[in-house]
Amino acid sequence: MSSHLLFTLFIIASFPTATPLASFRGTNRLFLDTAVESEWESLLPLGIFHGITTNPTLLERAGHDCNIESVQHLTKTALSMVGCDEFMCQAWGITAQDMYSVGMNLSSVDRERVVVKVPVTFEGTKAASKLIDAGVRVCLTACYCSDQAIIATGLGAEYLGECTIMSTSY
């Protein structure tokens, strides 16, 4: 485990959905935000994390290839570990179609336990809408203003992650 990082908390707001698992999900969950498998092994047994989340930058830092096959392998590894109820992975691509295609492939490992993260951008929002319509669980991420949070809830995204909304008006 790296000395500068004990663990990073990824706090996520969960929105009510009609999924079968919704009856026992809480409203907030902690996710281990890393692609370093040794950190998963040492930190998941703490029992405070609901799952693991990662993205292309974290994959690269951990020495993993950022491609469908590599992420699917990591997903299977993570979901086989005690303490990992869900695995979040971020779709990549320039266009909505790119992110949609990647998201469909990433989620195919286990549609009930894999959540696809998509940035709250114009193209990301289009991709998220298509993924949700296809039955994929979605987390809209990189949310920097309240308008983006409203978009996420309007789309029916199950999660809103990496949310940095600051307000100076009280």
Side-chain angles (χ1 to χ4, degrees):
M1 184 175 351
S2 62
S3 60
H4 70 280
L5 171 71
L6 175 55
F7 56 85
T8 302
L9 297 180
F10 191 78
I11 300 175
I12 303 201
S14 174
F15 304 113
T17 65
T19 62
L21 299 176
S23 61
F24 66 88
R25 289 190 181 136
T27 56
N28 291 306
R29 297 194 186 96
L30 300 178
F31 284 77
L32 192 55
D33 195 11
T34 181
V36 178
E37 294 173 76
S38 63
E39 292 179 355
W40 301 352
E41 292 167 359
S42 63
L43 295 172
L44 281 173
L46 292 173
I48 62 171
F49 298 103
H50 184 71
I52 296 165
T53 183
T54 192
N55 61 48
T57 300
L58 294 176
L59 291 168
E60 182 180 306
R61 286 182 192 158
H64 298 291
D65 292 329
C66 187
N67 61 48
I68 301 295
E69 185 178 319
S70 177
V71 177
Q72 285 180 334
H73 174 76
L74 281 174
T75 302
K76 291 173 187 173
T77 300
L79 292 176
S80 71
M81 299 177 81
V82 174
C84 184
D85 294 327
E86 294 179 345
F87 186 80
M88 289 194 188
C89 44
Q90 187 166 331
W92 56 85
I94 303 296
T95 68
Q97 185 58 43
D98 293 341
M99 287 183 265
Y100 171 77
S101 295
V102 170
M104 290 300 291
N105 283 308
L106 294 176
S107 66
S108 68
V109 171
D110 185 336
R111 289 267 159 77
E112 285 296 313
R113 298 176 62 203
V114 173
V115 179
V116 175
K117 298 190 313 188
V118 184
V120 189
T121 61
F122 184 75
E123 291 299 313
T125 300
K126 289 193 301 186
S129 180
K130 286 180 69 175
L131 288 165
I132 291 166
D133 286 346
V136 174
R137 298 176 64 205
V138 170
C139 171
L140 281 167
T141 190
C143 178
Y144 301 112
C145 68
S146 58
D147 293 347
Q148 289 174 311
I150 291 168
I151 289 168
T153 57
L155 272 179
E158 187 171 340
Y159 289 107
L160 178 61
E162 284 190 69
C163 194
T164 308
I165 300 174
M166 302 177 98
S167 174
T168 56
S169 60
Y170 298 102

